[in-house]
């Protein structure tokens, strides 16, 4: 069965797995205080050109978002996020569980703009409202769109203007960097904090959090520990990140996934299948007649995004670093038959 | 200066103040465990025809909402509320502070319908979403509208159908009962829990919480204590509620406020002033040219609700049990001059 | 029945009640933003000689402790307190409910010393422990003892040395000031924050929080609102505090309660009744044979503090501003008979 | 350098690593909903003879404790634990971070007894105290002692008597089972919930939580997700547990670590070195002159447990499944020389 369900269905890229096997017998400090983590940290900071930043390795994306946001905010401070954001609808209220309201800003394409941020801030000035303090974006977004550098810079400016923090959830940062024009160094320059996602781009698991803003760094490891987010054998995270950052592997895996998504998007266009969101990265959202979507289910693994009126369904198709071109072509051929 | 700013600008109704003075020297148990509270509880339960209900007296409305909602929910459970609800935008994220997400349902008139509830529940079934569990309504609503008995009964049915709890914030329950057709007994029959607001209807302070559903009663006082919501001299609450519940005073004060609001609404209609929400209780939301709203500011105390396009403003005018008819007539005369 | 149960069994001192009645009809801003609160704030700051301090009025002591401590700490920071402290055993885990661990330091007399603080800090330096940050003391303590100025100054020094905050729960601050040598101004000089308790010294309810340290002041009202701790008719608190601060009434009421406790302590000494803690303020802890304690129960209202070995009980006897000398003498006479 | 620092210094046992490599390319469902996890669950439930139990795989021990305890308690409910417990002093207040007080019960050997539980429950019955609800034990304990079956059964009885839950943190459950007389099936019969630790016994990471009590099972995965505790590639946990549960490997690795600890304990006894706690499992706590402890530091990796009076230090020595007998003998030889 072809799988377009997500980008974390398999294990690790061979280079990552090799590194884990190679270092398996080494005895190291626990809790990420080992040299393997330090090395990965240095490599990452060099890529980000942010020598004063702090790096922390976390196991998963929800954990990274939850711990980071709670560490950065005072109790009454709130988060601004697009209504499609992972923290709004895919983390079982993790941010609220730590006491912070997330203000859902309706967004047509999963992205926030400076104007949206400004309007939300202006609407929350009274003592009886939460105080917006952190702008949460994800890049790529949950609907596959990509912030470009100019858009990130505009958000940075509005954050500076309004004394807000800019945090980027980079669960798919590789895909965003491969698809857009913002580099590691741009994130290091524009964000207060951001994550570099490993789980969806070749690791067994792992997200690297980069806290650029020095004022936000103190006490973070205690926040992690308190929330169960320090891995005993922390070196597993350092080893994996070091492996994936070698020789541009992180970006090339993401580029490969994007390339196949592009091929898929073109094929869908040829078939006259509309997309609910622009095809910019490794997630596509085609709109199909319900009958076709149902017929597809037995043959292809994917997720339903949303039922639409007119007996249509939007489905989500995701390519990964290990998607085979044959899968893309096979899916297109299958769709071609079903749509006749 | 005429005051239409809110319904809690002054102290207590004389009968309430008298009762406080009369009992001032009595020595009683603390923490609401005294006979004066027990008496008020019995009076209230008789009105509600809910002999198995539990009554707790709290100092304020945000406190009552916060403690009650947290006591009723498991960590991952969420609240459904109209986007205009007090808990959505006037409590500085108090519900989220206790870890629970509030799902804001857009509502044209401040009310929820069974369909809204059903749609929100259907959209939150995955493990990665919060689980809707409690339907929060306020009656009267924050925009002055009133749920009628049939509407409450429809919400009760959808809650039964979906295993949800129905909680009514009755900060202005007196006004709702005086304006609508639902009685104390209807709330006792239809809600899992509801408050009877005193602060906005003749008390110095105080909200009586009625927990009808027996499954929700255990442990509640410890929840209150843990959240700083047990008043040391709890008898102050019992004394005040007993006083206001005598001889129908609670309803007659609310009816008086509604009556003057009705007179004001008619006057506004005569002046051709549109209202943003239907005039149903003691809160009115007239739409005025910005210039008129500004001119009014020096003469009348009120709150700005919202800037509207076309250089117009919606303001909020609130009558209270102690509003004088001269104030209403004076305001109308003033508006008549300003609108010429 | 004589009552020595606590110091909050009755209503308010007549001067306080008069002030409430006199201002009852005034229309003011809500939420403590009114002129009556401003006036009480100014009076208090002048007494404390702390013009840069912020004053907030809260309804009760648990609420004041809970909101203040949460506002001052980051998530992983902890509180140091004597094991007898109110926050340790009489607030249903209110501080923990907001996420903060309270480290219970065993104390023979309800007081902390600089050495205890230093030892506890030294024992909590690893990332896997909470980080002590706030020293909680209560004056008078829960066992009736009193910190003197030199003791407070010693705690201030250790806090400065270790970068800790010093917070004093002054639920019985009047009694402490009347019994000891530390004045309002000393608290203003030595604490980062402290409360001035009204509930137990002549008010219907109310604690005034003084935040001396400017770094701790921003955002506090939002913390209050978020925790349901802003009273709608906030002026009730300002009115009461203004009344009780006039003409030294706050201190003279406390001194009166202390005086009767002293008389009671002397009588107990004459009867050969030992005390579990030194008699320093308005709370006494006599140790009685169980049979005597039981016989007392029908005649006098009091609380059992602790069962002791040897068929003895320690009970708590509290005098208040309105305790009558006849009650003290009557209790002593009764005990004299029972102990024969 | 010999390492006795802890039992999680290296990677995984070869059989575990092989299983990860072998399944690396498989495409599975995410989030632990895959067949590999189902298989591990079935194997574990069969061992525990608890067919109605629920199994959840978590990444680490603090996470497992934190999520489980919060899921099982209402807001005002508290945990009873020995003062040496991991949740008391090695998790940065993780349980309190979720709002629950942990009552530290002084224990001479890291274990709780039924009497301790009964006394703590009796001391917390008022509304102003937290309500003890969950008894937390760890087996082996943090000081290396082991609960035997009869002790566990006694705790079960007191829990039944007082309506408390019994939770066992089994971070070192293998060591406890290898050293004592309680089997998987005993835990399945006696606990409401317990963990089977993998991190310290041959896995890269992973703790299996077994929730035996059906009343505690609903909603648990949402609690996990909300706290960032569902691993995207959850199958990694199932694969590892299946591997370690084959052919008794889990117990044999633990037995090997215990065996070397026993050899080490005997050697220490021969050298006249006292132990602070009885030698029962893979953690030993010898007391050494400070000078010896310091001299050891350059040669052997270990942790300082506690400074003692008389210029002595208690250090912690931990053996693991991959400790070499040469290390034990080498350490003993070294100590022999230093102690001469």
């Amino acid at each position: 069965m072809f799988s377009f369900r997500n980008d974390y269905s398999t294990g690790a890229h061979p280079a990552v797995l090799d590194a884990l096997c190679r270092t398996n017998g080494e005895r190291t400090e626990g809790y990420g205080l080992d040299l393997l983590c330090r090395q990965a940290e240095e490599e990452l900071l060099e890529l980000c050109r942010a020598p004063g930043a702090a790096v922390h390795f976390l196991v998963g994306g929800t954990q990274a978002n939850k711990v980071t946001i709670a560490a950065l905010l005072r109790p009454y401070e709130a988060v601004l996020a697009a209504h499609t954001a992972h923290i709004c609808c895919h983390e079982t209220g993790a941010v609220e569980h730590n006491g912070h309201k997330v203000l859902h800003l309706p967004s047509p394409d999963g992205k926030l703009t400076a104007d949206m941020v400004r309007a939300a801030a202006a609407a929350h000035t009274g003592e009886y409202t939460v105080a917006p303090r952190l702008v949460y974006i994800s890049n790529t977004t949950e609907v596959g769109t990509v912030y470009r550098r100019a858009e990130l810079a505009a958000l940075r400016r509005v954050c500076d203007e309004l004394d807000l923090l800019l945090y980027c959830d980079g669960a798919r940062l590789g895909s965003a960097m491969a698809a857009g024009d913002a580099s590691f160094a741009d994130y290091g320059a524009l964000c207060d904090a951001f994550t570099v996602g490993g789980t969806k781009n070749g690791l067994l698991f792992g997200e690297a959090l980069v806290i650029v803003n020095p004022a936000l760094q103190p006490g973070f490891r205690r926040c992690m520990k308190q929330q169960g987010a320090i891995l005993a054998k922390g070196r597993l995270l350092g080893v994996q990140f070091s492996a994936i950052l070698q020789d541009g592997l992180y970006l090339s895996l993401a580029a490969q996934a994007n390339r196949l998504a592009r091929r898929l998007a073109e094929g869908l266009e040829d078939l006259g299948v509309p997309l609910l969101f622009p095809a910019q990265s490794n997630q596509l959202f085609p709109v199909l007649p319900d009958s076709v979507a149902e017929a597809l289910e037995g043959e292809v693994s994917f997720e339903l995004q949303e039922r639409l009126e007119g007996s249509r369904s939007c489905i989500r198709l995701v390519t990964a670093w290990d998607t085979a071109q044959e899968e893309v072509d096979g899916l297109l051929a299958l769709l071609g038959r079903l749509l006749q």
Side-chain angles (χ1 to χ4, degrees), chain A:
Chain A
M1 185 188 270
F2 304 142
S3 175
F4 295 89
R5 175 168 294 275
N6 59 46
D7 31 17
Y8 45 94
S9 293
T10 58
H13 184 273
V16 171
L17 200 60
D18 283 354
L20 284 172
C21 292
R22 201 171 53 238
T23 57
N24 186 61
E26 292 183 27
R27 279 182 179 157
T28 67
E29 287 282 297
Y31 307 118
L33 299 173
D34 58 282
L35 296 177
L36 298 163
C37 283
R38 285 297 66 71
Q39 183 184 331
E41 178 180 346
E42 281 168 29
E43 290 159 353
L44 194 52
L45 290 181
E46 193 176 319
L47 280 171
C48 298
R49 288 185 218 152
V55 172
H56 301 282
F57 296 107
L58 294 106
V59 166
T62 295
Q63 186 182 80
N65 289 337
K66 178 183 179 74
V67 176
T68 305
I69 290 172
L72 268 45
L73 301 186
R74 294 198 59 200
Y76 55 84
E77 292 178 338
V79 180
L80 301 180
H83 79 286
T84 49
H86 208 256
I87 56 169
C88 289
C89 39
H90 278 81
E91 301 188 356
T92 319
V95 174
E96 289 86 355
H97 182 253
N98 275 350
H100 301 285
K101 193 175 186 86
V102 181
L103 295 162
H104 295 206
L105 309 190
S107 163
D109 61 358
K111 294 198 271 184
L112 292 182
T113 65
D115 281 351
M116 288 179 197
V117 169
R118 205 173 278 115
H124 292 86
T125 57
E127 289 176 351
Y128 45 82
T129 72
V130 289
R133 172 68 172 147
L134 183 141
V135 173
Y136 168 98
I137 58 171
S138 33
N139 207 13
T140 68
T141 71
E142 295 74 7
V143 297
T145 50
V146 179
Y147 285 93
R148 297 186 67 79
R149 184 166 45 193
E151 294 171 301
L152 297 172
L155 287 171
R156 176 72 267 164
R157 281 193 299 274
V158 76
C159 285
D160 286 342
E161 178 190 328
L162 301 173
D163 194 22
L164 303 174
L165 303 172
L166 182 58
Y167 169 67
C168 178
D169 174 346
R172 292 190 176 95
L173 198 71
S175 183
M177 289 196 290
D181 60 350
S183 66
F184 276 117
D186 291 320
Y187 291 93
L190 296 170
C191 295
D192 290 287
F194 64 99
T195 60
V196 180
T199 305
K200 292 170 178 165
N201 197 29
L203 266 55
L204 287 180
F205 57 87
E207 314 286 304
L209 170 69
V210 183
I211 307 183
V212 182
N213 184 335
L216 307 176
Q217 295 172 7
F220 194 80
R221 277 179 59 88
R222 265 176 160 144
C223 289
M224 286 175 67
K225 180 63 183 164
Q226 186 175 49
Q227 298 203 40
I230 286 189
L231 187 64
K233 302 186 184 180
R235 95 277 196 53
L236 300 175
L237 291 158
V239 166
Q240 292 184 85
F241 268 100
S242 271
I244 204 79
L245 292 176
Q246 295 317 302
D247 306 322
L249 185 59
Y250 186 75
L251 283 182
S252 66
L253 291 185
Q256 164 69 359
N258 284 357
R259 199 154 36 233
L260 287 178
R262 165 62 41 199
R263 184 183 182 99
L264 180 52
E266 289 165 357
L268 290 168
E269 196 181 1
D270 292 346
L271 291 169
V273 174
L275 300 179
L276 200 57
F277 302 104
Q280 297 181 353
S281 65
N282 72 322
Q283 296 184 86
L284 302 179
F285 296 84
V287 177
L288 299 170
D290 285 348
S291 58
V292 172
E294 280 157 31
L296 212 55
E297 266 178 46
E299 313 279 336
V300 178
S301 172
F302 63 87
E303 281 187 6
L304 175 69
Q305 175 77 1
E306 192 182 346
R307 295 270 174 220
L308 301 174
E309 53 187 11
S311 300
R312 296 173 310 148
S313 295
C314 174
I315 69 170
R316 186 182 77 152
L317 300 175
V318 188
T319 57
W321 62 271
D322 61 345
T323 301
Q325 184 169 317
E326 290 68 31
E327 293 184 283
V328 171
D329 296 342
L331 170 59
L332 287 170
L334 178 60
L335 271 175
R337 286 196 298 279
L338 291 170
L339 285 165
Q340 278 182 335

